[in-house]
């Protein structure tokens, strides 16, 4: 079950969501270090998942 929305980032259209999503994740994780995992739809598989694990040490849970 997804939690509360903590961040929204609007970026230029030449940055794909899977690459830009880590900016929002890093910002909120820095302010809320008790975050245990991220929830995302299947479109974020790949780059975001790898970045979240590598840069923050957190898993990503997918929902339909």
């Amino acid at each position: 079950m997804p939690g509360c929305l903590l961040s929204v980032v609007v970026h230029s259209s030449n940055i794909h969501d899977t690459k830009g999503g880590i900016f929002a994740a890093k910002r909120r994780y820095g302010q809320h270090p008790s975050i245990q995992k991220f929830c995302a739809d299947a479109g974020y598989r790949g780059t975001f998942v790898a970045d979240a694990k590598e840069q923050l040490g957190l898993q990503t849970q997918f929902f339909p």
Side-chain angles (χ1 to χ4, degrees):
M1 174 66 68
C4 297
L5 178 65
L6 295 176
S7 182
V8 174
V9 173
V10 178
H11 52 74
S12 62
S13 62
N14 66 339
I15 299 174
H16 195 274
D17 292 348
T18 58
K19 296 192 186 245
I22 196 65
F23 299 130
K26 286 170 72 172
R27 182 184 303 170
R28 286 305 159 231
Y29 185 70
Q31 293 179 335
H32 303 280
S34 62
I35 292 173
Q36 297 177 359
K37 70 172 76 170
F38 294 105
C39 295
D41 65 24
Y44 284 87
R45 292 191 190 274
T47 304
F48 177 80
V49 173
D51 288 346
K53 188 170 187 174
E54 179 183 311
Q55 296 178 31
L56 303 173
L58 297 175
Q59 298 293 321
T60 304
Q61 177 181 346
F62 295 97
F63 58 91

